[in-house]
Amino acid sequence: MSVPNINIIDFQHIINGSAEKEVVGIIVRVLGDTPGNILFIFHKEVASNIIELLTGRNEDEFSEMGISVLSEVGNIVSSSYMNSIARLTNLTLIPSVPAMAQDMLGAILATMFIESAQFEDNILDIETNFIGTESNNIGAHFYYVPRPGSLEKILNSLGVI
């Protein structure tokens, strides 16, 4: 796995740039010192590639096994990033059980915002690539959508602000 880009982006940038694309999202609620949500986004074809790489089955429509595979990949990666952030900042971040959604990115984000109360306008975006064989490189976006004050707390702990 590589981390080619880490950015703090405006929520509207995501909505304006790719809200109409169908994606698969793994949602993990973050509890603890910096509450918010993690949204791990794959394009549908990337999600299908992940399932095929891990199970050997090609799925156009995701089975229960496929959903479980994607949820677990999202859980592992999200927990890894949360643990890294926690170690670097000495903050407590606790993940919830992951949930999967398949829809347009804008619809997933809107639903997440409505269900989870108010969030900051800025989002932490970690563009992630999983490295396999040259033909199987797959990428995703890891969005940390913080509640008000959470991103500032992380950045302050890192000495950025």
Side-chain angles (χ1 to χ4, degrees), residues 115-132:
E115 289 179 351
S116 302
Q118 182 181 358
F119 285 93
E120 293 281 354
D121 289 334
N122 292 319
I123 296 171
L124 181 65
D125 173 24
I126 303 174
E127 189 179 323
T128 304
N129 284 316
F130 298 95
I131 302 171

Side-chain angles (χ1 to χ4, degrees), residues 119-156:
F119 285 93
E120 293 281 354
D121 289 334
N122 292 319
I123 296 171
L124 181 65
D125 173 24
I126 303 174
E127 189 179 323
T128 304
N129 284 316
F130 298 95
I131 302 171
T133 63
E134 284 185 31
S135 62
N136 288 328
N137 285 351
I138 50 179
H141 280 272
F142 172 92
Y143 297 120
Y144 169 62
V145 183
R147 291 213 174 161
S150 292
L151 187 56
E152 288 79 13
K153 190 180 268 190
I154 290 171
L155 295 176
N156 191 31

Side-chain angles (χ1 to χ4, degrees), residues 51 76 92:
I51 293 169
I76 291 167
T92 301

